[in-house]
Amino acid sequence: MKHIYGYTIEALKEYLLSIQEKPFRANQIIEWVYRHKIQSFDEITNMKKEFLQILKKDFILDTFDLIQQQNSSDGTIKFLFQLQDGNLIETVLMKHIYGYSVCVTTEVGCNMGCAFCASGLKKKIRNLETYEMVLQILMVEHLTKLKITHVVVMGIGEPFDNYENVVQFLHIINYPLGLEIGARHITVSTCGLVDKIYAYSDFDLQVNLAISLHAPTNELRNQIMPINKAYPLEELIKAIRYYINKTNRRVTIEYILLRDFNDTKACANQLADLLHGLNVYVNLIPYNEVKEKPYQRSSLEAMHAFYDQLKKRSLNVTLRREQGSDIDAACGQLRSKHLK
Ligand code: SAH
């Protein structure tokens, strides 16, 4: 059985040609699947019965089991889904003034080993298949009856460590006759796999890039992000500069504020030096504390002082509004609790 949610328009056309069908049916199928959200191919009314039998034989319209759902008072909803092989993943829905976004998971577990992050408490078991990423959005739409307008690839896992599947996923959710999520409404976040940042610079969709930086010097970054030993800051910044020149797009720099670790005025100045002249926008993130980890959230004063210092140094900066802090919102917390 093939997973229909993993099929790009091109792959679907190829399939149709392989069974001597007209490729234009691909667009019709996509509309039925993503616009009418059919649960069975029998619901399709403008195709011959014999053809629908073939689709039913060849394709599966997958689904996940919902294991747990946590609703936050601010509208954030966290879903724990069970994949068909029994593995668990998290998907988060967030409400914004501009619409609804879904935070998509790309791997079962994660191998990046960031010292502050709950996702890495469980090593990577496997990559998610393309259809399993698409299905997260469909499941959230199905369960909430909302239309998702934005996607952030910031759930469990490192998207650039599952690059090919993530790229297929982006094509599928962006396709105009399908979910039609605008490329500029999609952001992929990486901890800094430099070779893939170069590859992503040539990607044909206008999708946004976010970098989890979290420290302004190699000395500090090595302590919390093992990836920095493979790709130190000089190489990362060089790749970011290449991406910006190539795509002409502004890059988001994510920076979690950790108490007495990276939240000092000296760190703010080092960060401003590091990012000087780059077309970036810094998103300061209040840390969601993780029981198993020693790091603490910065004080409100420290966060504001850090923000002010970056402003003073003329950086574009925001202090992220917190969402879902009452519901195990930190990456990987719900899953790791459930697995205990
Ligand atoms: N691997 C990718 C995407 C997943 S993590 C990446 O590293 O970017 C998404 C973002 O959440 C990253 O910036 C990550 O550093 C951050 N994050 C992880 N744990 C967190 C926590 N406990 N509190 C706040 N942000 C966290």
Side-chain angles (χ1 to χ4, degrees):
M1 283 289 232
K2 311 175 208 290
H3 305 283
I4 193 83
Y5 301 135
Y7 269 63
T8 59
I9 184 73
E10 291 78 19
L12 206 49
K13 282 181 181 166
E14 248 172 62
Y15 159 81
L16 289 167
L17 285 171
S18 78
I19 60 161
Q20 277 84 50
E21 263 293 336
K22 305 258 184 322
F24 74 83
R25 292 258 181 241
N27 275 327
Q28 294 180 327
I29 294 171
I30 296 237
E31 283 196 281
W32 281 104
V33 168
Y34 294 104
R35 294 292 168 94
H36 303 285
K37 302 202 186 309
I38 53 168
Q39 303 291 307
S40 151
F41 290 108
D42 291 327
E43 293 169 43
I44 297 180
T45 53
N46 59 352
M47 296 176 201
K48 286 210 210 66
K49 282 270 175 302
E50 300 78 61
F51 178 53
L52 295 183
Q53 283 311 320
I54 298 175
L55 288 183
K56 276 169 75 172
K57 177 174 66 66
D58 285 349
F59 286 104
I60 175 166
L61 289 152
D62 291 276
T63 177
F64 295 146
D65 287 333
L66 176 65
I67 300 300
Q68 198 183 334
Q69 175 175 339
Q70 290 184 333
N71 292 47
S72 160
S73 49
D74 62 20
T76 303
I77 306 180
K78 191 149 198 170
F79 302 92
L80 187 68
F81 292 126
Q82 183 159 40
L83 310 180
Q84 284 142 5
D85 64 1
N87 279 309
L88 299 175
I89 58 162
E90 297 180 9
T91 304
V92 183
L93 168 79
M94 286 166 290
K95 187 180 169 182
H96 312 276
I97 29 173
Y98 50 79
Y100 288 95
S101 70
V102 165
C103 179
V104 172
T105 280
T106 55
E107 302 177 337
V108 179
C110 183
N111 275 345
M112 295 301 114
C114 298
F116 48 81
C117 178
S119 296
L121 290 171
K122 303 278 179 246
K123 282 267 159 278
K124 171 159 147 181
I125 295 173
R126 66 172 176 87
N127 285 330
L128 289 196
E129 299 294 330
T130 301
Y131 82 91
E132 291 172 316
M133 296 182 235
V134 176
L135 189 50
Q136 291 174 55
I137 299 172
L138 291 172
M139 285 295 301
V140 170
E141 287 197 335
H142 176 69
L143 290 166
T144 61
K145 309 292 174 226
L146 296 169
K147 169 71 189 132
I148 302 307
T149 55
H150 292 67
V151 168
V152 290
V153 186
M154 296 189 184
I156 296 177
E158 168 49 49
F160 282 180
D161 201 22
N162 184 11
Y163 190 76
E164 292 307 321
N165 290 347
V166 167
V167 159
Q168 295 290 315
F169 161 73
L170 298 175
H171 278 124
I172 292 171
I173 63 170
N174 175 249
Y175 190 66
L177 296 175
L179 289 172
E180 202 184 7
I181 295 170
R184 287 178 186 78
H185 289 185
I186 302 172
T187 302
V188 177
S189 176
T190 179
C191 65
L193 274 63
V194 161
D195 55 334
K196 295 303 191 307
I197 296 174
Y198 285 107
Y200 193 69
S201 304
D202 295 322
F203 187 45
D204 52 353
L205 299 180
Q206 305 268 308
V207 180
N208 302 305
L209 175 65
I211 304 283
S212 295
L213 195 69
H214 306 328
T217 62
N218 283 322
E219 198 238 324
L220 284 182
R221 201 163 188 262
N222 282 339
Q223 292 177 42
I224 52 172
M225 298 180 72
I227 190 70
N228 199 64
K229 293 181 183 139
Y231 298 114
L233 280 176
E234 308 74 64
E235 287 183 34
L236 179 57
I237 295 295
K238 202 169 136 200
I240 295 171
R241 181 169 291 122
Y242 178 86
Y243 172 91
I244 293 171
N245 288 337
K246 193 82 203 277
T247 64
N248 236 333
R249 282 198 297 278
R250 175 183 288 186
V251 168
T252 301
I253 302 291
E254 296 159 282
Y255 193 100
I256 302 177
L257 288 160
L258 303 167
R259 180 183 298 238
D260 301 331
F261 179 78
N262 65 0
D263 64 349
T264 59
K265 184 170 176 183
C267 282
N269 280 322
Q270 286 166 328
L271 183 62
D273 292 341
L274 184 70
L275 300 177
H276 181 76
L278 284 177
N279 182 19
V280 294
Y281 148 99
V282 180
N283 197 355
L284 299 175
I285 307 172
Y287 181 54
N288 263 314
E289 292 183 10
V290 176
K291 202 166 85 272
E292 295 83 350
K293 304 286 183 184
Y295 297 95
Q296 289 177 314
R297 169 178 297 201
S298 297
S299 67
L300 216 52
E301 301 77 68
M303 292 200 275
H304 283 131
F306 200 92
Y307 172 92
D308 290 341
Q309 188 60 26
L310 292 186
K311 276 266 168 204
K312 213 186 264 172
R313 297 283 311 265
S314 313
L315 272 135
N316 295 302
V317 55
T318 53
L319 187 55
R320 184 185 282 181
R321 171 172 76 99
E322 253 197 285
Q323 292 201 300
S325 53
D326 50 342
I327 57 161
D328 296 325
C331 318
Q333 272 187 338
L334 182 58
R335 173 169 179 265
S336 75
K337 260 191 196 171
H338 203 89
L339 290 176
K340 272 202 203 112

